[in-house]
Amino acid sequence: MENAITVALAKGRLAEKSVELLEKCGVKCKHILEPSRKLVFFDESGEYRFIFVKPSDVPTYVEYGVADIGVVGKDTILEEDRNIYELLDLNMAKCRLCIAGYADHETRRKTSDLKVATKYVNVARKYFEQKGQNVEIIPLHGSIELGPIIKLSDVILDIVESGKTLEENDLTVLEEICKISARLVVNKVSLKTKAETIKPLVKRMSEIIKEG
């Protein structure tokens, strides 16, 4: 157990999908999804140790080597910008990172600073800097769609899945920044020191994803 591969997962639907993929790879770990107050779990073999953390903390745990590998959304990777390797697109939890607002709002012609509500502060800053557009970023962590509705912001920058929430609030996608999906990330040192375990697992994951 001392040499176990530590995997950082965020509780919820992404953890469920990750466990499903790991089970297909031969890692017997579905029991870790059972209700429990425990914070650390092992697979049946004891070769893998699992920790459940906040999604935004997955890259941090991996960068500092507390976790060897982790599963996290591309949006979180972009926002956190940690010194880790992104090894594999897991082809799940797909969505889009977008600028959204009212359909008649023209983001490009606004003469004063554009007000952008988002929890992706770093992504927003980089995106608008690259466009050469002045913005005021308003950090929010819940009900981002409220921004334009109550005139706190002109637009929002957020992930969009079905787009139903936007539609029900008379908002629409104005710009698509990038496609988002879950990724497998790895600590740079772990990839060297635990390569005999990590690389075959990544290879098997890749094969299963290609098989669909």
Side-chain angles (χ1 to χ4, degrees):
M1 289 189 181
E2 285 183 8
N3 295 318
I5 299 295
T6 301
V7 185
L9 296 176
K11 276 190 177 180
R13 189 170 54 179
L14 187 53
E16 292 170 8
K17 288 180 176 291
S18 300
V19 167
E20 185 181 330
L21 177 58
L22 287 164
E23 283 276 339
K24 290 178 181 178
C25 293
V27 181
K28 302 302 179 185
C29 59
K30 62 183 177 182
H31 62 276
I32 72 172
L33 296 175
E34 295 171 2
S36 171
R37 290 181 181 273
K38 290 176 64 178
L39 299 174
V40 179
F41 302 83
F42 285 88
D43 74 320
E44 291 180 6
S45 70
E47 291 182 14
Y48 291 89
R49 179 173 65 169
F50 296 87
I51 56 174
F52 286 105
V53 301
K54 288 179 97 174
S56 59
D57 289 340
V58 171
T60 303
Y61 279 91
V62 173
E63 180 184 36
Y64 282 90
V66 178
D68 299 297
I69 61 177
V71 176
V72 66
K74 178 66 175 180
D75 53 321
T76 304
I77 294 171
L78 291 171
E79 177 65 17
E80 296 300 317
D81 195 23
R82 294 287 178 174
N83 187 26
I84 54 180
Y85 285 137
E86 180 185 326
L87 285 190
L88 194 61
D89 184 344
L90 300 178
N91 202 30
M92 58 190 188
K94 293 181 178 180
C95 54
R96 299 175 292 157
L97 195 58
C98 300
I99 306 294
Y102 289 111
D104 60 356
H105 183 83
E106 180 52 78
T107 62
R108 293 177 182 84
R109 292 181 185 172
K110 196 168 189 295
T111 53
S112 58
D113 286 0
L114 187 74
K115 291 182 180 179
V116 183
T118 184
K119 70 175 182 178
Y120 300 103
V121 173
N122 294 325
V123 171
R125 185 177 294 113
K126 288 178 184 176
Y127 180 71
F128 286 104
E129 277 179 0
Q130 288 171 357
K131 293 180 66 177
Q133 187 170 1
N134 293 328
V135 295
E136 178 185 345
I137 299 169
I138 302 169
L140 288 181
H141 297 281
S143 301
I144 310 292
E145 294 84 4
L146 266 175
I149 295 169
I150 61 172
K151 295 183 170 29
L152 174 66
S153 67
D154 299 304
V155 296
I156 63 172
L157 188 158
D158 202 10
I159 55 171
V160 176
E161 292 183 53
S162 67
K164 266 192 171 181
T165 305
L166 293 177
E167 187 181 332
E168 288 178 5
N169 289 283
D170 298 320
L171 302 174
T172 188
V173 171
L174 301 174
E175 300 175 42
E176 182 177 310
I177 296 174
C178 64
K179 305 286 187 188
I180 298 295
S181 59
R183 309 297 168 98
L184 181 74
V185 295
V186 64
N187 174 269
K188 291 186 174 182
V189 174
S190 297
L191 188 59
K192 295 177 181 177
T193 60
K194 299 182 179 181
E196 71 283 352
T197 304
I198 293 176
K199 287 186 176 180
L201 176 66
V202 174
K203 185 171 183 282
R204 183 63 186 131
M205 280 183 165
S206 181
E207 290 169 349
I208 290 170
I209 291 165
K210 285 176 183 175
E211 288 167 6

